[in-house]
Amino acid sequence: MTDEDFMELALAEAIKANQLGEVPIGAVIVHGGDVIAQAFNLRESLQTTASHAEMLAIDKANEQIGSWRLEECTLYVTLEPCPMCAGAIVQSRIPRVVFGAYDPKAGCAGSIMNLLEDNRFNHQVKLMGGVLEEACGALLTDFFKQLRSKKKEVNKNKKGNK
């Protein structure tokens, strides 16, 4: 399978998040050509800060491998990792990350800063961004557009009831 094929699997995870009203971000971890972990954002459902797709996938991969070290894995994620997820990626020793859309507000794989390739850490990650970027970005854009529309409708109804 190609990077695009694995990103399609991450997108399928993001769609699951979207169906639950979660921010549509999905992640897949591959080891030796096999998917060993899949996850999507569950922060709203679980009400826990660390319930990002990458963090949940890393936990599942740790269980699958039987180690905290994910040294022979690739992480595919639909949105550029945030600082928390970038830190977990470095700590888990994942050697390669492929992401879809760039995140100019919180991205730590090149947009705001690059924690993953910072040579001050004892582990650096090879990065590939922009894989299926349009599809990944459109899913997020549509989600936030609908969210803003719902908020406007709620505010409109509140004003109308006064």
Side-chain angles (χ1 to χ4, degrees):
M1 289 179 67
T2 67
D3 286 339
E4 289 79 11
D5 294 330
F6 288 120
M7 188 60 74
E8 287 284 355
L9 296 176
L11 264 169
E13 292 297 307
I15 290 167
K16 291 177 190 175
N18 195 36
Q19 291 168 342
L20 293 175
E22 295 280 351
V23 176
I25 300 170
V28 171
I29 297 180
V30 175
H31 179 266
D34 296 322
V35 174
I36 62 165
Q38 298 171 214
F40 52 86
N41 268 12
L42 284 172
R43 193 163 60 168
E44 295 301 324
S45 298
L46 298 178
Q47 288 296 301
T48 57
T49 304
S51 295
H52 285 198
E54 302 97 316
M55 301 290 283
L56 297 170
I58 287 169
D59 284 346
K60 289 178 182 180
N62 292 146
E63 285 181 36
Q64 187 69 26
I65 296 283
S67 173
W68 63 270
R69 292 178 181 270
L70 300 176
E71 295 173 320
E72 297 174 11
C73 295
T74 298
L75 169 68
Y76 294 86
V77 62
T78 56
L79 182 66
E80 178 182 359
C82 73
M84 174 180 68
C85 294
I89 291 163
V90 169
Q91 290 298 312
S92 66
R93 306 299 193 263
I94 293 173
R96 183 169 181 257
V97 170
V98 178
F99 66 89
Y102 287 83
D103 185 355
K105 294 183 179 181
C108 284
S111 288
I112 291 178
M113 63 175 42
N114 191 339
L115 291 176
L116 298 177
E117 293 179 322
D118 192 319
N119 64 9
R120 293 174 292 179
F121 292 118
N122 65 339
H123 176 75
Q124 289 80 44
V125 179
K126 291 179 185 160
L127 288 172
M128 179 183 290
V131 175
L132 301 184
E133 180 176 8
E134 197 170 300
C136 294
L139 189 59
L140 286 158
T141 299
D142 291 347
F143 173 82
F144 285 111
K145 192 176 190 179
Q146 289 177 2
L147 191 64
R148 284 189 297 275
S149 179
K150 286 178 187 174
K151 283 184 180 180
K152 281 182 185 176
E153 190 63 33
V154 167
N155 288 337
K156 186 178 172 182
N157 289 337
K158 283 182 183 177
K159 289 178 183 178
N161 289 333
K162 287 184 178 180

